[in-house]
Amino acid sequence: MAKAYEKIADTLRQEIRAGEPGPGERLPSETKLVERFKFSLPTIQHALRVLAAEGLVEKQHGRGNFVRRPRRLVLRTSERHQWEKDRARKPLEERLETGATEHDTGLSVGDLVFSAAYFEDAATPHLAAVFGVPEGTKLLRREYRTRYQAEDFPFNLVTSYLVYDMVSVNPELTDASREPWPGGSQSQLHTIGIEVDRVEERVTARPPTPEEAEELGLSAGGIAVMVLRKTSIDTAGRVVDYSEVILPGDRTELYFPTSLTRW
Amino acid sequence: MAKAYEKIADTLRQEIRAGEPGPGERLPSETKLVERFKFSLPTIQHALRVLAAEGLVEKQHGRGNFVRRPRRLVLRTSERHQWEKDRARKPLEERLETGATEHDTGLSVGDLVFSAAYFEDAATPHLAAVFGVPEGTKLLRREYRTRYQAEDFPFNLVTSYLVYDMVSVNPELTDASREPWPGGSQSQLHTIGIEVDRVEERVTARPPTPEEAEELGLSAGGIAVMVLRKTSIDTAGRVVDYSEVILPGDRTELYFPTSLTRW
DNA sequence: GAGTGGTCTAGACCACTGT
DNA sequence: CAGTGGTCTAGACCACTCC
């Protein structure tokens, strides 16, 4: 004997997949569903919460339950690293023209709102292991948010770590007011003689924490985030930057091309 | 005035983050929490469902609510494409030794249980666009499941599409009983004279469908899946394979290294 | 069998949306 | 204001786990 809320969720799921109601359309009101399924309101609501957690339905207080319309994907590319490296030594005027984010998204500089904040942290065991430094070593933590001007929420949350004593050689690098730096991270590192040789990216996914949901505007529920962990290694084999990027799973697509050698 | 279930969830979340109770430990019973927070059982349960959806708590019927222990990550690599290509033309004995999955995970062939099933599909508008063929063109759909022998559930769900008339030149390629094919997909394509030149991978994330949760053993809730869409393009510029891979977001890490040219 | 979480009800009252 | 979803209760009964 199946549970009532599961049967209800199953039925509605099937109907939605069949296109009735279609994307963006409203479901019958909860009281209507009570009549139709002959179960109490809390049970109907339980079924709808299940569908919301799946990302199939979006609840809107006072308006109704709606079939979620799949979001337009923003293409994010990962071939940007070579592109960024090529720019790092270019003259200032050229670096000013376009940033890496614009390169990824195809938008122009004016469409984006950017913010940066710097902090000093002591290395946790995990970060110490990543950088190969003693626990407690002073790190520079940089928090970035980037937003489309027209939208209310940023499309990513970036936290970048650098070894403080490595970068403080150039005081401009520990000053958040110099952001956005023309040419990006690799250009910043170039000012202290660092050449990035290799970038390693690792991707996982999970539900957002409440804080992330808040910052990214995912209050609706039923949306996952991708966690991109990026390690930059210089020509001497040192880890020179470690970044964590939180991305909304439905609005973002990570793109990784691989070219193979010809036979 | 904040909602009761949110306050309760907040309080418990803070305590769990502070390590009390710690990973794997049991929370107080729901009736105990009713006493502590002075709210009714359904309200306490609502709060716990919220924490379960976040992946912070795992509900176990008849046992209790437990703090979820972060899973050990399985490393999956994406540099396998070149590796696989290099093997595709090697003699049979060598191809038999190790498969790509073993290369990715570092496990030996005996540890894995593999299954494959083939179907014939008509191209949907989306698939027709991917392959650049008319809608309704006959496709070969291949479903793969791979599982650790010691575990109950597969660690990925793979659906691969090929253009039927392109591959049926070699009847062995439309016969599921020939799987697992020594040397993998690229070796299969090599038998009909196809050389893969480029692989494009796109990653997104979302909550699992009930069917995916079922197949991957994610019934606990609060786990996201990654969707990896892989397009293989041959030296003539044709799309020769399109695959969708569903991976549990907490147990899987996608690894993408990038080497940069030296200055 | 004792203890635990899971499901469900009938109904009250609150909060938001749109007219 | 009417209509909609959101929260909450007090309590009944079921299902699973472990001793």
Side-chain angles (χ1 to χ4, degrees):
Chain A
M1 196 216 111
K3 299 146 210 169
Y5 80 94
E6 278 187 1
K7 281 190 92 107
I8 296 166
D10 274 354
T11 304
L12 294 174
R13 193 185 296 113
Q14 258 185 297
E15 293 177 0
I16 291 169
R17 283 182 182 171
E20 190 52 45
E25 286 178 32
R26 218 201 71 176
L27 275 73
S29 78
E30 298 184 352
T31 47
K32 289 278 197 324
L33 293 172
V34 166
E35 287 171 26
R36 172 174 167 197
F37 287 104
K38 312 287 186 202
F39 281 95
S40 74
L41 179 59
T43 301
I44 296 293
Q45 289 175 319
H46 192 167
L48 290 169
R49 259 201 315 272
V50 168
L51 297 177
E54 284 167 23
L56 200 64
V57 159
E58 182 166 344
K59 307 187 130 268
Q60 291 186 31
H61 196 163
R63 304 219 319 125
N65 295 292
F66 295 80
V67 178
R68 182 173 279 155
R69 201 193 304 275
R71 290 267 194 161
R72 206 173 290 85
L73 288 180
V74 174
L75 197 76
R76 267 192 102 264
T77 167
S78 164
E79 52 192 344
R80 72 186 250 172
H81 303 123
Q82 183 65 53
W83 181 89
E84 200 182 316
K85 179 165 184 175
D86 292 342
R87 286 178 81 80
R89 292 186 304 173
K90 295 270 171 71
L92 179 64
E93 313 82 61
E94 197 168 331
R95 291 187 343 245
L96 275 171
E97 281 167 23
T98 316
T101 303
E102 291 83 356
H103 174 250
D104 291 356
T105 57
L107 292 165
S108 65
V109 183
D111 295 333
L112 295 168
V113 181
F114 178 88
S115 80
Y118 284 16
F119 307 89
E120 294 170 23
D121 274 11
T124 60
H126 172 242
L127 288 169
V130 167
F131 282 105
V133 297
E135 226 176 292
T137 300
K138 193 166 158 194
L139 301 179
L140 180 68
R141 185 176 98 241
R142 309 183 295 170
E143 306 266 359
Y144 298 98
R145 305 288 112 112
T146 315
R147 205 185 82 219
Y148 295 123
Q149 194 164 33
E151 299 210 343
D152 293 331
F153 298 99
F155 52 80
N156 68 17
L157 309 176
V158 182
T159 307
S160 158
Y161 294 92
L162 301 168
V163 176
Y164 196 92
D165 290 342
M166 189 188 290
V167 297
S168 60
V169 176
N170 179 355
E172 295 184 348
L173 296 188
T174 58
D175 176 5
S177 69
R178 311 294 301 216
E179 295 275 7
W181 188 280
S185 250
Q186 290 201 45
S187 182
Q188 288 175 317
L189 292 171
H190 177 231
T191 68
I192 51 173
I194 288 174
E195 176 184 356
V196 175
D197 181 50
R198 209 164 81 246
V199 178
E200 296 179 354
E201 292 170 293
R202 294 177 168 81
V203 184
T204 57
R206 57 169 170 72
T209 64
E211 293 84 354
E212 291 164 350
E214 168 84 26
E215 272 209 275
L216 293 170
L218 310 178
S219 55
I223 294 182
V225 295
M226 291 187 278
V227 184
L228 175 72
R229 296 184 181 81
K230 190 183 96 179
T231 310
S232 301
I233 296 147
D234 79 350
T235 50
R238 288 180 305 177
V239 171
V240 293
D241 178 277
Y242 172 74
S243 302
E244 290 197 358
V245 187
I246 308 293
L247 302 150
D250 65 333
R251 253 168 284 178
T252 316
E253 184 175 74
L254 295 172
Y255 174 66
F256 297 100
T258 309
S259 278
L260 306 179
T261 60
R262 296 266 181 136
W263 279 336
Chain B
M1 194 214 119
K3 299 146 209 169
Y5 80 94
E6 278 186 2
K7 281 191 93 104
I8 296 166
D10 275 353
T11 304
L12 294 174
R13 191 184 298 113
Q14 258 185 299
E15 292 177 3
I16 291 168
R17 283 183 182 169
E20 191 52 44
E25 285 178 32
R26 218 201 72 176
L27 276 73
S29 78
E30 298 185 351
T31 47
K32 289 275 197 325
L33 293 172
V34 166
E35 288 170 26
R36 173 175 168 197
F37 288 104
K38 312 287 187 202
F39 281 95
S40 73
L41 179 59
T43 301
I44 296 293
Q45 289 176 320
H46 192 168
L48 290 169
R49 259 201 315 272
V50 167
L51 298 177
E54 284 167 22
L56 201 63
V57 160
E58 182 166 346
K59 305 188 131 268
Q60 291 186 32
H61 196 164
R63 305 219 318 123
N65 294 292
F66 295 81
V67 178
R68 182 173 278 153
R69 200 193 304 276
R71 290 265 193 161
R72 204 174 285 86
L73 288 179
V74 174
L75 198 77
R76 267 193 101 263
T77 168
S78 164
E79 49 192 346
R80 71 187 253 171
H81 304 122
Q82 183 65 52
W83 182 88
E84 199 182 314
K85 179 164 183 175
D86 292 341
R87 287 177 79 81
R89 291 186 304 175
K90 294 271 170 72
L92 179 63
E93 314 83 60
E94 197 169 331
R95 283 176 4 231
L96 275 171
E97 280 166 24
T98 315
T101 304
E102 291 84 356
H103 173 251
D104 290 356
T105 57
L107 291 165
S108 66
V109 182
D111 295 333
L112 294 168
V113 182
F114 178 89
S115 79
Y118 285 17
F119 306 89
E120 294 170 22
D121 274 11
T124 61
H126 172 242
L127 288 169
V130 168
F131 282 105
V133 298
E135 222 175 294
T137 299
K138 194 166 157 193
L139 300 179
L140 180 68
R141 186 177 95 242
R142 309 182 296 172
E143 306 267 0
Y144 298 98
R145 306 287 113 112
T146 316
R147 201 185 86 220
Y148 296 124
Q149 196 165 32
E151 299 210 343
D152 293 331
F153 298 99
F155 53 80
N156 68 18
L157 310 175
V158 182
T159 307
S160 158
Y161 294 92
L162 301 168
V163 175
Y164 196 93
D165 290 341
M166 189 188 290
V167 296
S168 61
V169 177
N170 179 356
E172 294 184 350
L173 295 188
T174 58
D175 176 4
S177 68
R178 311 294 302 217
E179 295 277 6
W181 187 281
S185 249
Q186 290 201 44
S187 181
Q188 288 176 318
L189 292 170
H190 178 231
T191 67
I192 51 173
I194 288 174
E195 175 185 356
V196 175
D197 181 50
R198 207 164 81 247
V199 178
E200 295 179 355
E201 291 170 294
R202 294 177 167 82
V203 183
T204 57
R206 57 169 170 73
T209 65
E211 293 84 355
E212 290 164 351
E214 168 85 26
E215 272 209 273
L216 292 170
L218 309 179
S219 54
I223 294 183
V225 296
M226 290 188 278
V227 184
L228 175 73
R229 296 184 181 81
K230 190 183 96 178
T231 311
S232 301
I233 296 147
D234 78 352
T235 49
R238 287 181 307 176
V239 171
V240 293
D241 178 275
Y242 173 73
S243 302
E244 290 197 0
V245 186
I246 308 293
L247 301 150
D250 65 334
R251 255 167 282 177
T252 316
E253 184 176 75
L254 296 170
Y255 175 67
F256 297 99
T258 308
S259 277
L260 305 179
T261 59
R262 296 266 181 133
W263 281 334

